[in-house]
Amino acid sequence: MKKYFLVFLTVFAAVAATAQSRGLKIAYIDMEYILDKVPDYADSKNQLEQKAQKWKQEIDVKRNEINKLRESLSAEKSLLTKELLEEREEEIAFMEKDLLDYQEKRFGPKGDLISQKAVLVKPIQDQVFNIIQDLSEQRKYDFVFDKSSDLTMLFAAKKHDISELVVNRLTRAANREKLSSKEVKKLEELEEKEERETNPEYVDRQKRLEERRAERQKLIDQRNADREAKRQEALDKREKLRQEREARRNGTSVPENNNDTPAQDDLNSEDDAPATANRAATTGGGKTEEGDNAREGKTTANDSPDNTDFKTIDKSAAAEQAKQDRDDKIAARKKAIEERKQKILADREAAKKAREEKRNANKEPEQKEQDEENKNEN
């Protein structure tokens, strides 16, 4: 045993050295668990146990017969001659030897029980071996141990146990012959899915992907929330600027909010400056866009990091205001053009009407003269 252990340790060290660069992958099975889960093996095992029980009963019967002969010999020993006594003892010894031979035949290391159990287990062991070969190639295992063997395993993590996977494949292989081609294809797809879900590397990779996806979604939600807050703040600033502009046009004052902080007062003053600049640029005759770009691109070295967001919001509000002023000016220009067009049309219509009236006025004397001439001729 010690020799085998040393050989195993040497092989293990050699393979570990070659697999060090990519990481050692180990799995294990529990053959006893697998055999208990195979229905055919369980039925055959029950039959074999019934045979073994029958053999034990036969051994007990022979042992009882030998015990009876010994008791009878002890009781009749004083009455028997030396020749009869030796004959009876030889008979008992022969029966004892026959009993030992029978026990060896049935339960010995090479007996019927061991050989029939090996015959019973061998087909399943071959299937298990083939399945483990396939799994080892698919998952790149370096070692696959049998937990139920003579090899002592002090600790084995459950995630490295592939016994249940082997049992599932054995069961499906037994039922595969009874299935149609469509069902076999569906079964293969199920096996591939199970292979992915039971692969520790696949599970760990999926877990990492889920964590990354959750973290990315959290960042997106936070970014959207910040963007929405800034947009709402910009809308509030634009509304405030609009109210101030309306108040200045109407000559009224905007109600002050007593809850404004000094920082907000500074922001209001900063809002007024871009609004005034927008109006000046609007009346500058086509220089509005250049003024907007100059205001948006203008930054000062004295801006603090705390006011960066507010400056951006003010610039956005100023740009929106400038756009609104441009739209108002374009609308007013379109209205003036439309009014001028209507006036021209009205003037044309009036001139036409005047010409017709003048023409009619000139025709009346000529008509009267023609009537008088016609009358005189008559």
Side-chain angles (χ1 to χ4, degrees):
M1 184 64 184
K2 186 176 180 180
K3 181 179 179 181
Y4 292 141
F5 180 75
L6 291 175
V7 173
F8 170 77
L9 185 61
T10 303
V11 174
F12 182 84
V15 176
T18 58
Q20 186 176 3
S21 59
R22 63 178 177 84
L24 193 63
K25 298 187 66 175
I26 298 175
Y28 70 91
I29 62 170
D30 188 348
M31 184 59 74
E32 293 181 357
Y33 173 81
I34 294 173
L35 293 176
D36 291 338
K37 293 293 182 178
V38 178
D40 295 339
Y41 176 78
D43 296 338
S44 300
K45 184 180 179 182
N46 291 332
Q47 295 178 4
L48 185 60
E49 288 179 352
Q50 292 177 1
K51 286 184 179 181
Q53 189 66 29
K54 183 178 179 180
W55 294 337
K56 289 180 180 179
Q57 291 177 359
E58 293 177 357
I59 291 172
D60 292 337
V61 170
K62 291 183 177 183
R63 186 177 290 109
N64 292 332
E65 290 179 358
I66 293 173
N67 291 333
K68 289 180 180 179
L69 289 175
R70 284 186 177 280
E71 292 176 357
S72 176
L73 180 60
S74 298
E76 298 175 357
K77 188 175 182 179
S78 59
L79 302 175
L80 297 176
T81 60
K82 184 177 180 181
E83 290 79 4
L84 292 175
L85 182 61
E86 290 177 356
E87 184 179 351
R88 297 282 293 274
E89 288 178 351
E90 289 178 0
E91 183 181 0
I92 293 172
F94 177 79
M95 293 180 67
E96 288 179 346
K97 184 177 182 302
D98 185 62
L99 178 60
L100 292 175
D101 292 340
Y102 187 78
Q103 286 181 337
E104 185 71 17
K105 179 183 177 183
R106 298 300 187 186
F107 300 101
K110 298 181 181 180
D112 295 340
L113 181 63
I114 300 300
S115 60
Q116 291 187 22
K117 185 178 290 187
V119 172
L120 178 63
V121 173
K122 191 176 185 305
I124 301 174
Q125 286 179 335
D126 293 340
Q127 295 181 29
V128 171
F129 178 76
N130 293 331
I131 292 173
I132 290 175
Q133 288 290 105
D134 295 338
L135 289 175
S136 299
E137 292 179 0
Q138 293 173 2
R139 299 189 178 185
K140 309 300 180 184
Y141 288 132
D142 296 303
F143 293 97
V144 178
F145 300 106
D146 183 5
K147 187 178 180 181
S148 61
S149 64
D150 295 334
L151 180 63
T152 302
M153 298 181 67
L154 300 178
F155 174 77
K158 185 63 178 176
K159 66 178 182 179
H160 299 302
D161 188 2
I162 58 174
S163 301
E164 192 65 32
L165 183 59
V166 173
V167 171
N168 292 336
R169 293 204 174 188
L170 283 173
T171 305
R172 289 169 186 166
N175 298 330
R176 189 182 295 271
E177 297 178 356
K178 303 176 183 179
L179 301 177
S180 62
S181 59
K182 186 176 181 180
E183 291 175 339
V184 169
K185 185 177 180 180
K186 186 176 180 180
L187 183 62
E188 291 176 352
E189 293 176 356
L190 182 62
E191 288 180 354
E192 293 179 357
K193 182 179 178 182
E194 184 183 61
E195 169 66 21
R196 291 193 302 269
E197 293 177 351
T198 56
N199 192 343
E201 289 186 354
Y202 176 80
V203 173
D204 294 340
R205 185 166 59 252
Q206 288 297 114
K207 186 177 180 180
R208 290 194 298 270
L209 288 175
E210 289 295 333
E211 291 176 354
R212 292 177 183 174
R213 191 178 294 111
E215 185 177 357
R216 185 166 58 251
Q217 186 63 35
K218 184 178 179 181
L219 291 175
I220 292 173
D221 294 341
Q222 182 65 31
R223 192 178 299 124
N224 291 336
D226 295 341
R227 188 182 297 113
E228 183 65 22
K230 290 180 180 179
R231 190 181 71 84
Q232 186 62 37
E233 191 171 359
L235 291 175
D236 295 340
K237 292 290 182 183
R238 189 174 68 177
E239 182 65 20
K240 189 176 179 75
L241 288 172
R242 188 186 66 80
Q243 292 177 0
E244 291 177 354
R245 187 179 69 252
E246 292 293 333
R248 282 192 291 271
R249 287 178 181 176
N250 299 329
T252 61
S253 60
V254 180
E256 295 181 356
N257 188 2
N258 295 330
N259 295 328
D260 290 344
T261 61
Q264 291 175 336
D265 294 338
D266 295 339
L267 290 176
N268 293 336
S269 63
E270 290 176 359
D271 293 340
D272 292 338
T276 306
N278 290 335
R279 287 192 294 275
T282 304
T283 58
K287 295 182 180 181
T288 304
E289 294 182 359
E290 295 178 1
D292 292 338
N293 295 331
R295 284 193 301 275
E296 291 178 359
K298 183 179 179 181
T299 58
T300 60
N302 295 329
D303 290 341
S304 62
D306 296 336
N307 293 330
T308 302
D309 294 337
F310 296 108
K311 294 289 185 181
T312 304
I313 294 170
D314 292 341
K315 291 177 182 178
S316 301
E320 292 290 336
Q321 185 60 40
K323 183 179 179 182
Q324 184 66 29
D325 292 340
R326 285 197 302 274
D327 294 340
D328 294 342
K329 186 176 180 180
I330 292 171
R333 190 178 301 166
K334 287 182 178 179
K335 184 177 180 181
I337 292 172
E338 187 66 25
E339 290 177 352
R340 192 183 305 114
K341 182 179 179 181
Q342 293 294 332
K343 185 177 179 181
I344 292 171
L345 292 175
D347 293 341
R348 287 179 180 177
E349 192 68 25
K352 182 179 180 181
K353 187 175 181 181
R355 285 195 301 272
E356 290 179 355
E357 290 177 353
K358 185 177 180 180
R359 188 181 299 113
N360 293 331
N362 293 329
K363 285 183 178 180
E364 287 180 357
E366 293 178 357
Q367 186 67 30
K368 287 180 179 180
E369 291 177 359
Q370 186 69 29
D371 292 341
E372 289 178 356
E373 291 178 356
N374 293 332
K375 186 176 179 182
N376 294 328
E377 290 178 357
N378 292 330

